[in-house]
Amino acid sequence: MSYTAVILAAGKGVRMKSNLPKVVHKAAGKPLVAHVVDAVQAAGIKDIVVVVGHGREHVEKVFTDDGVQLVVQEEQLGTGHALQQAQEQVDPASTVLVLAGDIPLLRPSTLKALLDYHQQGQAEATVLTTHLEQPTGYGRVLRDEQGYFARIVEEKDASPEEKSINEINSGIYCFQAGSVFRVLQQLRPANAQGEYYLTDVLEILKSEGHRVQVMAAADSEEIHGVNDRIQLAQAEKILRRRKNDQLMRDGVTLVEPDSIMIDSQVTIGRDTVVMPFTLIQGKTIIGEGCEIGPWTNINDSTIGDRVVIESSRVKEAQISDDCVIGPYAYLRPGAQLETQVKVGDFVEIKQSTIGSGSKIPHLSYVGDALVGRQVNIGAGTITCNYDGQHKHQTILEDHVFIGSNTNLVAPVRIGESSVTGAGSTITRDVPAQSLAVERADQRVVPWKKKKQDH
Ligand code: UD1
Ligand code: CA
C-alpha cells in the first residue's frame, strides 16, 4: 500500500495575533509544521504534501531541502477545500493521511497505529478521535444507536446537546484517496462558517454505504492543537519534558531538568551532566562525559568528549575533546578549539583556530587568529584585527608565549617559541625563538605625596 500525507497549513491562525502564519511559530526550537512533518516521516511516510496559503513565503522557508511538496490554497475556504488542492499530488490508488500543521505533540507511533487500524478495517475512512474534559472549540463526534460513526458536528453548528459530547475530532484522518477526492467535489459550504468542511466527507461516505471507522487515541495530549500563544507555551513545555526524559533514558544526567531547555535536534552523549539553567539549541552535538552548565547557552555547535563548559555562551563553534571553557567565556561563530584547550573567564573568541593544549585563561579577545599548539596567551591580551575597514589575521606559531596585556596588531605573525613582553603593542612580525618587547623604559623620579593617607 502506498501512502501520501497531506498537511493542511494554509490558515492564518488568527488567535496567535501574529504577522507570521501560525505553523511557522516555533516550539522547542522547531516550527510547528516541521514537528508534524517529522512525525509523519518517522511513521514511514515519504510522500508529503503541505497545503500553504496565508504567509506561504514563510512556510516555504521551513522546507528548503526535505523533499516536501508544497501546494497553494489561494483562498482559505475550509479544510475540505484545502485538501482538494492536493489532488494532483496524490495517487488515487493510495491511502491518504490528512492532518493539520498545528499539532506538534503528535507521536509517530500514534500515526502508525492509525494507518494499521485503517488497513485492517478495510475502511474507506478512519478518523482519530479522543475524549476531552473540555471539548470546547473542537468538532464533536456523533455516533449512531449501534455506536458506529454517524457524523461530525462543528462547535459553531452544534446544538447544546451535541456540545455536551466530549468525544472530539482530532482532525487526523486516513482516506482511500480515490473516494475522498471524488466526495470533496460534492461538498457545499452550508454551515455557520460558510466553509467547505472536510468533516462532511465522512458523513457522505457513510451515507453511500462505505465503511467509516473511528479510532480513539489513548493519549489526548498528542492531538492538542496550538491556536494561541498560551497553547504554544503549553506545547513547548511538553516537548521540552519529552526531550529531557528521552535524554535521561539514554544516559544523560540533567540536574533539575525543569530549568534545562534542550531543542529537539540536539544530541548528547552518555554520562554527560547538564547543570541547571542551561539552554542548548539548534543543531548542537555534545559528546560523552561532558559537564555543561550551570548558566550556559549553546547553539549550533559541536562539542567533543569530556568537555567542561561553565556559565558561558557558545555559538556556532567547534570544541574538541578535553577542553575547559569558562566561566564567562564567549565563543562566537568560527571558533574552533582543538583538544585540551583552556578558555577562561571573560575571553571572547571569534573565527579563530586554537591548537591543542593552548591556553587563553583570562580577559582576552582573539579574533581572526590562527593559534598553534601549546601557546599561552597572557591575561588581557587582544588581537587588534580590525583597522576600521578590513579584518586581518594574527598567526601565533606553536609554543608561543604572549605576555600579559599584549596588543597584537594584525596582520602579524609570531614565530615558533617566541615570547612577547607584557604590555607590548606588537605591530611587526616576530621571528622564531625571539623575545619582542615594545614599551618605553621605566623612569623613576623622586616624589613625595602631599598626603600620606592614600
Ligand atoms: C478542524 C475540524 C474539527 C476538529 C479540529 C481539530 C473541520 C471543519 N473541523 O477544526 O472538527 O475538531 O480541526 O483541531 O475540519 N486550513 C487550511 N485551509 C483552510 C482552512 C484550514 O489549510 O481553508 C488548515 C489550517 O491551517 C489548520 C487546519 O487546516 O492547520 C485546521 O483548520 P482550523 O480552521 O484550525 O480548523 P478547526 O476549526 O480547528
Ligand atoms: Ca485548529
Side-chain angles (χ1 to χ4, degrees):
M1 207 354 117
S2 75
Y3 294 99
T4 307
V6 179
I7 298 171
L8 309 181
K12 182 174 193 281
V14 182
R15 282 170 283 171
M16 293 299 280
K17 307 247 170 81
S18 175
N19 297 327
L20 294 172
K22 173 169 72 180
V23 294
V24 305
H25 281 263
K26 287 181 179 175
K30 193 157 77 174
L32 297 174
V33 64
H35 282 283
V36 178
V37 167
D38 287 353
V40 168
Q41 282 173 339
I45 300 183
K46 289 181 208 74
D47 288 333
I48 301 176
V49 182
V50 179
V51 182
V52 298
H54 188 86
R56 69 194 211 222
E57 64 282 7
H58 299 285
V59 187
E60 279 160 8
K61 273 189 226 144
V62 176
F63 302 108
T64 44
D65 54 16
D66 354 29
V68 169
Q69 297 185 73
L70 301 180
V71 299
V72 179
Q73 184 193 23
E74 293 290 353
E75 257 187 298
Q76 284 78 59
L77 303 179
T79 47
H81 180 257
L83 178 58
Q84 230 174 351
Q85 311 309 307
Q87 178 157 12
E88 275 177 30
Q89 277 66 33
V90 181
D91 173 0
S94 69
T95 297
V96 55
L97 172 70
V98 180
L99 61 177
D102 64 354
I103 39 172
L105 302 174
L106 185 65
R107 287 191 170 93
S109 54
T110 301
L111 287 178
K112 275 192 206 150
L114 177 67
L115 296 172
D116 288 349
Y117 191 76
H118 179 75
Q119 251 14 283
Q120 279 159 18
Q122 299 192 320
E124 216 58 23
T126 305
V127 52
L128 186 72
T129 70
T130 198
H131 292 82
L132 294 182
E133 274 175 37
Q134 301 280 355
T136 313
Y138 288 96
R140 309 298 204 283
V141 178
L142 275 52
R143 293 180 181 251
D144 63 18
E145 292 89 71
Q146 288 87 46
Y148 292 119
F149 176 86
R151 64 190 179 92
I152 291 169
V153 58
E154 291 305 299
E155 171 90 23
K156 287 184 180 138
D157 304 300
S159 66
E161 200 183 319
E162 288 165 341
K163 280 184 186 155
S164 70
I165 295 171
N166 67 359
E167 186 176 14
I168 62 103
N169 169 24
S170 69
I172 305 167
Y173 325 80
C174 271
F175 294 104
Q176 293 316 106
S179 305
V180 70
F181 287 110
R182 177 178 55 77
V183 172
L184 279 173
Q185 290 169 357
Q186 303 171 26
L187 292 188
R188 294 290 167 265
N191 51 57
Q193 303 187 82
E195 290 184 358
Y196 295 89
Y197 285 172
L198 175 56
T199 45
D200 289 348
V201 167
L202 300 159
E203 189 183 354
I204 296 172
L205 285 171
K206 165 104 184 183
S207 70
E208 289 178 350
H210 291 294
R211 188 167 161 74
V212 176
Q213 297 185 138
V214 174
M215 184 181 123
D219 182 2
S220 64
E221 173 188 279
E222 284 187 49
I223 61 118
H224 268 288
V226 170
N227 293 306
D228 60 28
R229 297 194 197 229
I230 293 169
Q231 289 173 331
L232 181 67
Q234 288 163 345
E236 167 105 14
K237 202 175 174 93
I238 292 166
L239 288 166
R240 298 246 177 245
R241 193 198 63 215
R242 282 189 196 168
K243 176 73 182 180
N244 286 357
D245 287 354
Q246 188 58 49
L247 287 166
M248 290 191 279
R249 271 188 224 109
D250 291 345
V252 177
T253 295
L254 303 183
V255 179
E256 201 56 53
D258 286 349
S259 75
I260 296 171
M261 293 189 269
I262 302 176
D263 281 359
S264 48
Q265 302 173 72
V266 171
T267 66
I268 305 183
R270 61 168 57 191
D271 292 323
T272 285
V273 177
V274 182
M275 300 295 284
F277 305 104
T278 290
L279 176 59
I280 306 176
Q281 301 168 285
K283 292 185 176 124
T284 295
I285 299 169
I286 298 178
E288 298 189 353
C290 297
E291 272 178 50
I292 309 292
W295 306 106
T296 291
N297 179 194
I298 302 173
N299 69 287
D300 300 299
S301 297
T302 302
I303 292 161
D305 297 334
R306 298 172 302 280
V307 171
V308 177
I309 305 179
E310 183 191 346
S311 303
S312 292
R313 173 81 176 102
V314 177
K315 183 180 183 188
E316 296 166 43
Q318 315 282 319
I319 302 175
S320 307
D321 297 346
D322 301 297
C323 288
V324 179
I325 315 295
Y328 316 114
Y330 182 17
L331 300 189
R332 292 172 50 201
Q336 288 196 37
L337 312 188
E338 292 175 2
T339 57
Q340 293 181 293
V341 167
K342 176 176 168 58
V343 175
D345 50 274
F346 305 103
V347 171
E348 172 179 342
I349 300 182
K350 185 220 77 173
Q351 198 62 48
S352 296
T353 300
I354 315 296
S356 284
S358 290
K359 294 185 169 66
I360 315 171
H362 335 268
L363 302 157
S364 283
Y365 170 62
V366 176
D368 304 300
L370 207 55
V371 176
R373 296 162 166 250
Q374 305 288 339
V375 168
N376 195 305
I377 298 184
T381 294
I382 62 162
T383 54
C384 311
N385 59 329
Y386 185 51
D387 61 13
Q389 283 181 319
H390 302 287
K391 300 279 170 74
H392 300 284
Q393 198 179 39
T394 300
I395 298 172
L396 308 181
E397 295 183 359
D398 296 348
H399 302 286
V400 157
F401 184 100
I402 301 293
S404 294
N405 201 29
T406 298
N407 300 311
L408 297 161
V409 182
V412 70
R413 173 192 285 263
I414 313 290
E416 191 176 334
S417 300
S418 284
V419 175
T420 66
S424 297
T425 294
I426 304 295
T427 53
R428 279 176 285 139
D429 287 358
V430 177
Q433 322 272 356
S434 316
L435 166 67
V437 192
E438 186 279 338
R439 60 189 180 216
D441 280 345
Q442 181 174 325
R443 286 194 298 153
V444 178
V445 293
W447 194 262
K448 200 157 192 261
K449 282 172 79 183
K450 301 233 164 61
K451 277 190 194 165
Q452 277 301 0
D453 49 343
H454 290 293

